[in-house]
Amino acid sequence: MMEFVNLGDATLAAQYVAIEMFRTIQKQSEPKLGLATGGTMEPVYKSLVQLIEHNPIDLSALKTFNLDEYYGLDKDHPQSYLYFMKHHLFNHIDITENQYYFPDNNAVNLEADNQAYDQLVKSPDGVHLQILGIGTNGHIGFNEPGTPFDSNTRLVQLTDETIQANARFFNHVEEVPTRAVTMGIKTIMSAERIILLAVGKKKQPIIHELYHMEIPDTDVPASVLLTHPDVLIVTDNEAAPQY
Ligand code: F6R
């Protein structure tokens, strides 16, 4: 079931998502979280760091799985998603290197590593809570329009729209990697619960379209969420659909 909630303010929306993550860590004995990167997530992690600072919580059994990573980018590159996660979350909380996982982005045996990643994410059960952002073209992770819903973790080509959208984090658009390794749609759908956060007016058209969809369509990858039992789409006023 896909539900929508407009929390009005973008900061509040990010705080809400952080609280849900925090509560999941509190409630589960071996919490598994699926994480996203990107501009939308920065205030979410800021808020999560604050919650962890201000409340007693045991992070020793936490495991996190990131959705994606650019292909071929050095792990120390400031635009790598590992760097992003360290900068916004991992460096500020009590977590060790063997607790966070990323799809392999430089592998010799890429296919075997991708299968292993799917296994890690899904077993014994899927992640307790998967956090998602959304692309203006409806992508989730880097599953671009047209991706089959039964796709697993794999190497993908980014669309021009996504490359242009991500160019803001680089000096030049030519520096944006054109490929990435992403969790597949099937992998994402194995999560027990999913929260998708969309803020800002650029996301309004795709959120509006999604809100009015009744049948999933691979042209809008996020529409697969219509078939998941527990999905919440959280927005601010700017990204909210016209009801
Ligand atoms: C990032 C990811 C992407 C982003 C999406 C929105 O890990 O999976 O799907 O969530 O591109 O990015 P922002 O938040 O920068 O608009």
Side-chain angles (χ1 to χ4, degrees):
M1 190 167 142
M2 194 161 89
E3 293 177 310
F4 286 72
V5 61
N6 172 19
L7 291 180
D9 180 65
T11 308
L12 183 64
Q15 274 167 351
Y16 173 77
V17 176
I19 293 167
E20 288 293 343
M21 296 169 88
F22 183 82
R23 294 284 293 138
T24 304
I25 304 171
Q26 264 185 334
K27 273 192 280 191
Q28 301 293 337
S29 52
E30 292 184 1
K32 284 173 73 178
L33 293 180
L35 304 179
T37 57
T40 315
M41 297 302 145
E42 291 180 20
V44 174
Y45 296 130
K46 189 171 177 209
S47 197
L48 182 59
V49 168
Q50 281 171 3
L51 282 168
I52 291 171
E53 267 170 15
H54 298 151
N55 297 275
I57 190 162
D58 179 9
L59 301 179
S60 60
L62 172 65
K63 287 205 165 107
T64 69
F65 300 89
N66 265 80
L67 277 171
D68 38 27
E69 180 58 285
Y70 286 121
Y71 183 73
L73 208 59
D74 200 78
K75 289 207 186 303
D76 299 325
H77 191 289
Q79 297 311 334
S80 80
Y81 288 162
L82 172 62
Y83 188 99
F84 175 102
M85 289 309 304
K86 284 185 176 171
H87 183 72
H88 292 286
L89 183 65
F90 301 151
N91 286 351
H92 309 286
I93 63 174
D94 194 9
I95 191 171
T96 59
E97 255 178 41
N98 53 8
Q99 288 176 259
Y100 50 80
Y101 299 84
F102 283 76
D104 205 337
N105 72 334
N106 244 327
V108 182
N109 295 313
L110 192 58
E111 220 158 284
D113 286 354
N114 287 343
Q115 275 178 24
Y117 195 65
D118 274 336
Q119 274 312 308
L120 272 177
V121 173
K122 289 189 201 169
S123 56
D125 300 307
V127 298
H128 296 109
L129 176 61
Q130 174 70 53
I131 304 301
L132 296 177
I134 187 168
T136 50
N137 61 5
H139 75 210
I140 49 175
F142 277 135
N143 296 289
E144 302 283 23
T147 303
F149 287 160
D150 62 356
S151 55
N152 292 313
T153 298
R154 71 208 184 287
L155 182 65
V156 293
Q157 195 74 36
L158 302 181
T159 60
D160 285 343
E161 187 169 347
T162 299
I163 293 170
Q164 292 295 338
N166 290 359
R168 69 191 195 276
F169 298 112
F170 292 80
N171 295 326
H172 295 288
V173 68
E174 295 77 37
E175 288 175 20
V176 186
T178 56
R179 291 185 294 176
V181 184
T182 182
M183 266 194 209
I185 292 187
K186 196 169 159 193
T187 322
I188 293 172
M189 290 291 280
S190 69
E192 210 170 273
R193 221 180 135 211
I194 298 177
I195 298 181
L196 185 152
L197 176 62
V199 298
K201 56 181 185 303
K202 279 194 195 140
K203 302 291 170 72
Q204 202 276 341
I206 190 66
I207 293 296
H208 183 71
E209 184 176 354
L210 197 55
Y211 181 75
H212 290 284
M213 284 180 82
E214 278 165 20
I215 299 163
D217 184 333
T218 53
D219 286 347
V220 181
S223 68
V224 71
L225 302 174
L226 282 163
T227 62
H228 190 282
D230 191 351
V231 176
L232 184 64
I233 315 276
V234 178
T235 68
D236 67 348
N237 276 332
E238 289 190 342
Q242 271 166 355
Y243 298 106

